Amino acid sequence: MNTHSIKEKLKAAIFKLRFYFPIYRSKPSYTTGMQPNTIRWGILGCGKIARKFASDLQFVNNAQLIAVASRSQSTADAFAREFPAKYKHNSYEALVQNPEVDVIYIATPHVYHYEHTLLCLNHSKAVLCEKPFAINNHQVKEMIALAQDKKVFLMEALWTKFLPHFQKLNQFIAEGQIGEIRSIIADFGFLPPYNPEGRLFDPNLGGGSLLDIGIYPVFLALSLLGKPQSIQAIMTPAPTGVDEQCAITLLHDNHTISQLFSTLASFTGTEAVIHSSKGRIRLTSRFYATTATLQFYLDTPSSQKELFNQKIDGFGYQYEAQHVVDCLQKGLTESPIMTFADSILLIETLDEIRRMAGIKYHWDA
């Protein structure tokens, strides 16, 4: 048996051990103040991102994957073979009616987030919903209003906000070590195979670069600089009419500017640079994910100082999942970190970018 095979078998054994025996789970790097009760997770949708999230639940304290749901029984069964779950539902309605499920992670395409969030909330299930929260501001506000009316927890799954490198970035800025931010430049681009019926290019599936990947540069700018005073945006369309490329300029308070770009037409560096009165911080590729490092430059390339370069277990979804567990154990119905106001500001900004660039969906009517 070669070394690679041994490593893979060991990796699989450790994964199953952590699933069945929580004592062996790795702990996230921050203190949680957990209570002894276990939060039982259901996953709605069994695609690629759901697999990453399910894998990372092994690193979350007091969390258990208990149920998965797909429109296809065979898909749910296959998912549960890979990620052990007690219940394998062949409908989303069965999942939300399962009394053993405490919280549901919604991992379906974003055109269905509104529908599926309402389904969960109407059955009093706490929800962690993938980003973007919904297609437009009207949908997001209705989701939030229902959660508040039902007094049920709801949060948009913007995982970047909980990652260690992003926490370090905020700390470094809050301490005033880089002075005042003057501008931000961020991009996200890749070149997928063109499929007019796929979710990236089909307007009926909310296709286009902005809502799928452009949300990350926009999120970064809003997180660090707040609501913009003005927005300019242009796009170039794919043959289906969705935005293949989108260029955005945000003007914030104190004359700060964000230049943001998303594209499905080429591979970009997928980096971010924050320019300030004392230097600049570079978030290396991929700036929104666990692969990013933080580099600080005073003035010249030779002045580089590495602020963060830490390898973590898993894909990085465990940090947002741990936060949800903490919130539920404390009886909260809204995250103090990814607030409803944060989600509303994000979707309102995305709506205005789409209006300026001429990006329209039939849900906007």
Side-chain angles (χ1 to χ4, degrees), residues 212-231:
D212 189 71
I213 57 177
I215 188 173
Y216 283 111
V218 174
F219 156 76
L220 177 68
L222 298 181
S223 294
L224 300 182
L225 295 175
K227 183 177 181 177
Q229 294 178 349
S230 66
I231 298 172

Side-chain angles (χ1 to χ4, degrees), residues 32-49:
T32 61
M34 301 295 287
Q35 300 299 317
N37 56 304
T38 296
I39 299 299
R40 300 163 299 181
W41 285 83
I43 294 180
L44 193 155
C46 295
K48 182 178 179 181
I49 197 167

Side-chain angles (χ1 to χ4, degrees), residues 180-202:
E180 296 182 2
I181 297 176
R182 303 301 192 200
S183 65
I184 295 174
I185 298 176
D187 67 83
F188 191 158
F190 70 107
L191 184 58
Y194 178 68
N195 176 6
E197 297 178 354
R199 68 172 186 84
L200 290 175
F201 293 101
D202 187 346

Side-chain angles (χ1 to χ4, degrees), residues 133-250:
F133 228 177
I135 288 293
N136 57 40
N137 184 40
H138 300 295
Q139 291 183 348
V140 167
K141 286 187 174 179
E142 186 175 341
M143 291 156 58
I144 291 172
L146 181 60
Q148 291 174 325
D149 181 62
K150 295 281 188 179
K151 296 180 174 57
V152 176
F153 181 87
L154 172 65
M155 189 183 94
E156 185 174 11
L158 254 161
W159 66 308
T160 304
K161 197 163 192 175
F162 300 89
L163 293 179
H165 80 279
F166 196 77
Q167 296 290 320
K168 182 67 175 179
L169 172 65
N170 280 305
Q171 175 190 338
F172 201 66
I173 293 172
E175 291 172 349
Q177 296 190 48
I178 68 167
E180 296 182 2
I181 297 176
R182 303 301 192 200
S183 65
I184 295 174
I185 298 176
D187 67 83
F188 191 158
F190 70 107
L191 184 58
Y194 178 68
N195 176 6
E197 297 178 354
R199 68 172 186 84
L200 290 175
F201 293 101
D202 187 346
N204 293 316
L205 294 177
S209 71
L210 177 64
L211 293 188
D212 189 71
I213 57 177
I215 188 173
Y216 283 111
V218 174
F219 156 76
L220 177 68
L222 298 181
S223 294
L224 300 182
L225 295 175
K227 183 177 181 177
Q229 294 178 349
S230 66
I231 298 172
Q232 295 180 337
I234 57 173
M235 71 92 164
T236 57
T240 55
V242 302
D243 59 296
E244 186 175 49
Q245 302 191 102
C246 188
I248 306 155
T249 300
L250 306 180

Side-chain angles (χ1 to χ4, degrees), residues 19 25 38-42 57 60 62-67 86:
F19 252 108
R25 292 179 185 166
T38 296
I39 299 299
R40 300 163 299 181
W41 285 83
L57 278 180
V60 180
N62 295 328
Q64 176 190 5
L65 176 60
I66 196 168
K86 181 179 179 181

Side-chain angles (χ1 to χ4, degrees), residues 18 60 69 76 136 174 211 228 258 260 263 270 296 312 316 360 362:
R18 284 170 170 165
V60 180
N136 57 40
L211 293 188
S258 298
L260 316 171
T263 179
T270 311
F296 179 60
I312 67 170
K360 298 179 181 179
H362 68 81

